[in-house]
Amino acid sequence: MKIVVIGSVAAGTSVAAKARRNDETAEIVVYESGEDISYSVCGMPYFLGGEVESVDTLIPRNAQWFKKRFDFDIHTDHHVKAIHPSIKEIEVYNKKEGKGFRETFDKLVLATGSYSLAPSPFSLDSYSNIFHVKSMADTKAIDAYMNQNDIKHVTVVGSGFIGLEMTEQLTEKGMNVTVVELASQVFPKIDPDMAYHIEKKLKDKGVKLHLSDKVQTIEGSGKATVLTTDKGADIETDLVILAVGVRPNTLLTKETGIKLGETGAVKVDEFMRTSVEDVYAVGDVAESFHRVTGQPIYHPLGSTANKMGRIAGDHMTGGKLSFKGTIGTGIFRLFDLTVGYTGLSAAEAEKAGFDPVVIHNIKPGHAEYMGGQNMIIKGVADRESGRFLGAQIVGPEGVDKRIDVFATAITFEANAEDLFHLDLAYAPPFSTTKDPVMYTGMVLENAREQLPVMTPEELITRQKANDALQVIDVRSPKQYAKGHVDNAVSIPMPDLRKGVADLDRSLPTVVYCNKGVTSNTAQNLLLNIGFKEVYVLSGGNTNFHYYMDSIGN
């Protein structure tokens, strides 16, 4: 059997390596259009920022390494121009020798990845200082340009993973960075109230933000010097990084009968097979599906690509591995913050047919008496079934291990209540006695059953609609005086039993403290003495003021 793989970054080499582990007799050939193989795309910003010392550390393996270890051939600088599945041939162009040839196959794997978008008016061909951060060639070109030019002002267009990572690294390198984002918030993958913490951190670090805006015109001959936005801002720039997203590289599928999915990526089954016999697709070129909703999604990520490659290599050599889908887990660092998310947001859950209940949980990553710092967790569960659906976390520590626990829980279809019963490792340097994961599950389950919460957004909406509401601040009078929710009455927790004598027990009532713990006690008390409908303000006064700041109030 002859296996031909097109592409050799993450998914392609995984296909070939797994196929060889399963079958010593197969002939395996990999074609790569670029010079470098199996490199770390995700590590590129950290090399450009100087955190990774040498670019070579991002390219740990070459073609010779794979030949010695797995006995298959990788041909770099070989561009595949066309594929002909019906006759099982491909057309290849050897860029170094300047000549083409045809290659036959028994099994063909598309690992062609994705390409970066360059929206109008940007043109990489017309300006020497406009770059993508997609390939190792991009990285080397940016590094060379920065070394040869005096770079003071950088414009990053787009605020996804790469955009924010480049913003962090170049800011830390001493450059003045401006971010232009078409959406109304940075990092649109998460909810606006969580993205607020990212925006605040960027502003604290001196990064200029142009949100709900786009670059309209470019000044400069051969080199972009001033970018003018739709809103009329003139941005002086020495270097432009385009990070507005990627699309699957499906060019080779044209006129082949290989079907694309609704996301625009190649449609595959659980074994990574395309609609054409003996042709597979893996990595950024392939469509995925969401493990919770079952719906097609496009989730280009190195870890997913490696997984897909392993599954395809296993299946074509007689193995039983199959793809189980993804839940959209992601994480990145921004200065001293970590941002993580997994599963569904409340809006996504509602769109998928769930009735979402949402809570905010502000807890330290480990014991406060040992320097633990607060993280903000936003959790989502299905009101009817209790199934845990998703989480978003922003904080300076402990985010990575909590988001991984949440992702594991979602994968195995845990309920919110199950989170509370997890036997998680505890010691003061690492966690709190009631870990933030456990507390999230407890509050979600309470909110789902008999102890409801109200988000700051819901409270503001109801107050603006002049709904009949009672709001009680159970913090100390000093804390109340420093700032409180509009129309809230101050009744400190120790005085609550007697202090509510004049309140209407039939009216919907919202109680809050600093972060939501004491107010949960207050909620129970009020319900026990005859109040009919009592809510805890999700995340307490702290989260309420975060929300008010996020909407500019």
Side-chain angles (χ1 to χ4, degrees), residues 426-438:
Y426 163 67
F430 307 106
S431 183
T432 53
T433 50
K434 193 181 293 177
D435 189 89
V437 168
M438 300 163 65

Side-chain angles (χ1 to χ4, degrees), residues 319-518:
K320 296 181 180 180
L321 288 177
S322 62
F323 188 63
K324 307 297 184 183
T326 71
I327 54 175
T329 305
I331 194 167
F332 67 95
R333 187 192 69 194
L334 186 69
F335 304 108
D336 58 353
L337 282 184
T338 303
V339 180
Y341 61 95
T342 188
L344 302 178
S345 67
E348 290 168 337
E350 190 170 9
K351 185 178 179 181
F354 296 101
D355 179 12
V357 56
V358 180
I359 64 96
H360 296 79
N361 175 19
I362 302 175
K363 288 289 181 182
H366 66 277
E368 287 186 279
Y369 56 78
M370 294 195 69
Q373 300 180 70
N374 283 331
M375 65 181 83
I376 301 99
I377 300 176
K378 187 174 185 178
V380 182
D382 180 44
R383 193 179 304 276
E384 181 179 352
S385 67
R387 184 176 179 183
F388 180 62
L389 298 176
Q392 300 174 17
I393 315 177
V394 180
E397 61 171 17
V399 172
D400 52 345
K401 72 175 182 177
R402 272 67 183 214
I403 210 68
D404 282 342
V405 174
F406 286 139
T408 303
I410 295 169
T411 299
F412 291 103
E413 301 185 13
N415 288 337
E417 185 181 15
D418 295 327
L419 298 176
F420 174 72
H421 294 291
L422 291 174
D423 186 17
L424 300 177
Y426 163 67
F430 307 106
S431 183
T432 53
T433 50
K434 193 181 293 177
D435 189 89
V437 168
M438 300 163 65
Y439 197 84
T440 298
M442 183 189 76
V443 178
L444 274 170
E445 182 62 15
N446 285 345
R448 189 181 75 83
E449 289 287 350
Q450 76 282 3
L451 299 172
V453 300
M454 186 177 292
T455 66
E457 183 179 10
E458 290 170 331
L459 176 58
I460 294 299
T461 300
R462 293 185 66 167
Q463 285 184 327
K464 286 183 177 179
N466 293 318
D467 287 359
L469 282 176
Q470 297 174 139
V471 183
I472 304 174
D473 186 323
V474 298
R475 300 174 302 153
S476 71
K478 280 187 177 181
Q479 291 172 318
Y480 176 85
K482 287 181 179 179
H484 56 267
V485 175
D486 285 350
N487 301 316
V489 295
S490 175
I491 309 177
M493 185 64 208
D495 305 326
L496 191 61
R497 284 178 177 84
K498 296 179 180 179
V500 297
D502 296 330
L503 297 183
D504 187 342
R505 301 188 183 200
S506 66
L507 280 181
T509 302
V510 181
V511 293
Y512 71 89
C513 57
N514 274 327
K515 296 186 289 186
V517 178
T518 302

Side-chain angles (χ1 to χ4, degrees), residues 524-547:
N524 279 283
L525 187 157
L526 294 178
L527 288 170
N528 287 338
I529 64 174
F531 279 72
K532 302 300 182 185
E533 188 179 347
V534 185
Y535 300 84
V536 164
L537 180 59
S538 186
N541 185 68
T542 302
N543 190 53
F544 178 81
H545 284 287
Y546 285 155
Y547 176 75

Side-chain angles (χ1 to χ4, degrees), residues 69-119:
R69 175 66 64 91
F70 295 107
D71 191 28
F72 61 75
D73 296 309
I74 299 180
H75 301 286
T76 57
D77 286 312
H78 279 64
H79 173 62
V80 176
K81 297 171 60 178
I83 62 176
H84 305 286
S86 59
I87 58 174
K88 294 197 169 183
E89 285 188 356
I90 63 173
E91 296 180 34
V92 186
Y93 179 73
N94 185 328
K95 295 194 287 186
K96 286 185 177 178
E97 296 183 4
K99 63 181 182 181
F101 60 93
R102 288 199 170 219
E103 175 76 279
T104 61
F105 66 84
D106 295 307
K107 305 284 185 182
L108 178 67
V109 184
L110 302 179
T112 49
S114 56
Y115 64 91
S116 296
L117 299 176

